[in-house]
Amino acid sequence: MTISQQQLQFDRNHIWHPYTNLNKPTPVFGVESAQGVYLTLSNGKKVIDGMASWWSAIHGYNHPELNQAIHEQIQQMSHVMFGGLTHQPAIELSRQLIDLTAPELDCVFLADSGSVAVEVGLKMALQYWYSLGRQQKSKFLTIRNGYHGDTLGAMSVCDPETGMHSMFSETLPQHLFVPSPSCVSDEDWNESHIAEFRQMLESRADEIAAVILEPIVQGTGGMRIYCPEFLRQVKSLCEQHDVLLILDEIATGFGRTGTMFAYEQAQICPDILCIGKAITGGYLSLAATITTRNVADVIGSYGDGNLMHGPTFMANPLACAVANRNIELLLASPWQQKIKQIEAQLIAELASCRQLESVADVRVKGAIGAVELKSPVDMHKVQPRFVELGVWIRPFGKLLYIMPPYIIEPDQLSCLTKAIEQVAREQIKP
Ligand code: PMP
């Protein structure tokens, strides 16, 4: 059924969308259906999706095998509580996740959203040190421009100044921040890129429970890319100074940066890994926090050893079933080759944006392309303009960025890059 003008008006007046103001609503488009890389909007327009519904719909929409996985599971059960009960989809998914991640990662907590997976990761780190009688290790160290979710704990480790939660910086628990690395390639590495981080970690290791980072690509905080050597150095410092390492791969996981997980590019392994988004191919809300056996053992060794977290929809069977099929599909596809092709095309086609007066920088990593403008765009104008150009691209501040479904064809990808160039060109002040 088509969304009517009246319904759109109701939406504008009553429904919050992500990061919006009900008093000054930005345009929302009704969407009627989604197929492959296309979204069909209520205004009749069919647009190419550049966002993969925020990193998640890696195989595109309405995929027959993913649909089938849900249909099959719904005949068995759509949901049961996970307290005291278990089921095949959750066991199978946990087995797949343990196989897919580094050998050291061995214990799985199935959460219901990325932010919750981060909350659980932070809580695990606190409980780890509590269990060892070192409660003073209760701070988190991270880098600026980071983003880890919208819940209170996750917000407290997002960039407190430039981040979207800066309004709450004073009221949130206070953690430690150092500048994000500016070194993009290992060839340009030198000690100065880790100096502030090292200084902070070495001087305050007694208070620090864990370092938390988005590896290689900082997403929502600015689509910034940094080199693997920074991660290697961080891992080594964490080991030397008894600090846990939490990696947030909620955006970067499942192949997006060219390797299954971005940490593989630094040949390191975190103590705690948070994943989400693409885990179900964009079908249902699910995320996971995966830890080493050591983390689980230490947490389990003190008091009754329980990890006190248990969301109602933990390990939802429908979500686990579709995640299982999604991972199988990914592994059976030539995804590495596909990401390399997307990356090469993004580098080639976005290069021309560099020459534009309105553009500050162009960044590409794997199947992620970002054009940073010199000034923020006006969403009221730019969002409809992208739709007019036949693409679904949602800008953020100064960023025009895409992370398309992996199944995108070269000509469809070209439509996205051309639209970005066109919009960047239109931002040039007369
Ligand atoms: N961490 C990162 C790196 C993310 O990109 C996001 C989502 N944008 C989150 C955490 C939070 O995930 P969710 O929106 O599923 O709560």
Side-chain angles (χ1 to χ4, degrees):
M1 220 173 40
T2 306
I3 302 174
S4 65
Q5 280 308 317
Q6 228 176 358
Q7 285 174 310
L8 281 177
Q9 194 55 46
F10 178 88
D11 185 297
R12 258 191 292 280
N13 291 338
H14 297 275
I15 309 179
W16 264 294
H17 287 258
Y19 318 114
T20 54
N21 176 350
L22 271 186
N23 294 344
K24 280 193 237 157
T26 45
V28 288
F29 291 85
V31 56
E32 302 296 326
S33 62
Q35 176 70 46
V37 298
Y38 290 99
L39 307 179
T40 302
L41 305 181
S42 307
N43 61 10
K45 212 110 185 142
K46 204 167 154 187
V47 290
I48 299 173
D49 177 30
M51 309 304 291
S53 283
W54 280 334
W55 315 83
S56 55
I58 53 176
H59 305 298
Y61 302 95
N62 204 9
H63 194 289
E65 288 197 42
L66 298 179
N67 291 358
Q68 193 191 343
I70 293 187
H71 284 147
E72 283 168 10
Q73 183 54 43
I74 215 164
Q75 312 296 329
Q76 306 299 315
M77 65 186 149
S78 50
H79 185 65
V80 286
M81 63 188 278
F82 207 51
L85 294 172
T86 194
H87 44 77
Q88 194 74 28
I91 296 169
E92 182 53 22
L93 176 60
S94 303
R95 192 194 58 73
Q96 288 215 73
L97 294 177
I98 288 169
D99 286 353
L100 211 56
T101 52
E104 295 88 334
L105 294 169
D106 206 29
C107 303
V108 182
F109 186 98
L110 294 167
D112 46 4
S113 73
S115 300
V116 170
V118 168
E119 294 291 334
V120 170
L122 298 173
K123 199 161 163 179
M124 283 171 168
L126 294 177
Q127 193 166 340
Y128 177 94
W129 294 111
Y130 195 92
S131 300
L132 290 173
R134 299 179 69 181
Q135 291 89 324
Q136 76 282 10
K137 280 173 80 71
S138 61
K139 295 243 176 267
F140 296 102
L141 168 60
T142 187
I143 53 179
R144 293 202 179 270
N145 304 301
Y147 172 83
H148 299 285
D150 296 337
T151 49
L152 286 172
M155 277 162 61
S156 73
V157 286
C158 294
D159 192 310
E161 280 169 21
T162 59
M164 57 173 98
H165 308 305
S166 54
M167 174 182 184
F168 303 108
S169 295
E170 300 290 308
T171 39
L172 291 169
Q174 301 297 300
H175 295 302
L176 308 171
F177 295 83
V178 293
S180 52
S182 55
C183 185
V184 178
S185 137
D186 279 356
E187 278 98 73
D188 302 325
W189 177 261
N190 65 55
E191 265 298 303
S192 70
H193 294 296
I194 191 88
E196 268 192 77
F197 185 95
R198 176 194 295 282
Q199 211 269 330
M200 183 69 91
L201 190 118
E202 288 181 349
S203 61
R204 301 189 65 172
D206 283 351
E207 300 161 65
I208 302 174
V211 166
I212 179 164
L213 298 175
E214 292 159 273
I216 307 294
V217 179
Q218 294 183 284
T220 310
M223 294 290 162
R224 297 168 57 98
I225 300 163
Y226 65 86
C227 64
E229 184 58 23
F230 181 79
L231 265 189
R232 271 192 288 276
Q233 299 274 337
V234 165
K235 171 70 183 175
S236 150
L237 286 168
C238 285
E239 274 175 359
Q240 284 167 45
H241 296 280
D242 249 0
V243 167
L244 295 175
L245 177 61
I246 306 174
L247 291 183
D248 176 350
E249 294 240 18
I250 287 161
T252 52
F254 299 99
R256 182 60 67 177
T257 66
T259 46
M260 185 57 77
F261 296 100
Y263 67 72
E264 294 168 24
Q265 294 171 37
Q267 297 96 32
I268 58 140
C269 167
D271 299 286
I272 299 173
L273 174 69
C274 304
I275 54 175
K277 289 191 184 278
I279 192 171
T280 65
Y283 267 64
L284 285 165
S285 184
L286 183 76
T289 311
I290 313 177
T291 73
T292 59
R293 178 62 58 181
N294 173 50
V295 168
D297 280 351
V298 169
I299 288 175
S301 67
Y302 179 81
D304 64 13
N306 291 333
L307 177 70
M308 293 307 287
H309 215 94
T312 308
F313 288 97
M314 183 170 179
N316 171 256
L318 289 176
C320 292
V322 74
N324 280 323
R325 195 67 61 89
N326 170 59
I327 294 169
E328 286 158 16
L329 268 181
L330 182 63
L331 294 177
S333 72
W335 61 272
Q336 278 150 309
Q337 205 184 321
K338 189 69 209 195
I339 304 292
K340 272 206 187 98
Q341 283 166 4
I342 295 177
E343 182 177 57
Q345 193 179 340
L346 287 174
I347 292 172
E349 293 183 5
L350 291 177
S352 53
C353 292
R354 281 186 202 281
Q355 268 83 58
L356 300 177
E357 221 181 281
S358 54
V359 171
D361 196 13
V362 175
R363 299 188 279 274
V364 173
K365 181 80 194 176
I368 308 164
V371 170
E372 185 175 329
L373 301 172
K374 291 183 181 150
S375 5
V377 295
D378 177 350
M379 285 287 274
H380 288 267
K381 290 191 183 137
V382 168
Q383 185 75 88
R385 180 68 180 129
F386 272 125
V387 169
E388 210 172 79
L389 293 168
V391 298
W392 182 248
I393 295 176
R394 183 143 178 91
F396 186 69
K398 295 179 188 170
L399 284 175
L400 308 178
Y401 65 98
I402 49 173
M403 63 289 259
Y406 301 168
I407 57 157
I408 196 158
E409 294 292 339
D411 56 328
Q412 297 164 333
L413 188 55
S414 287
C415 293
L416 295 173
T417 55
K418 278 193 193 120
I420 289 185
E421 188 185 341
Q422 179 62 31
V423 167
R425 204 176 278 288
E426 289 168 10
Q427 303 308 304
I428 299 171
K429 306 271 178 296

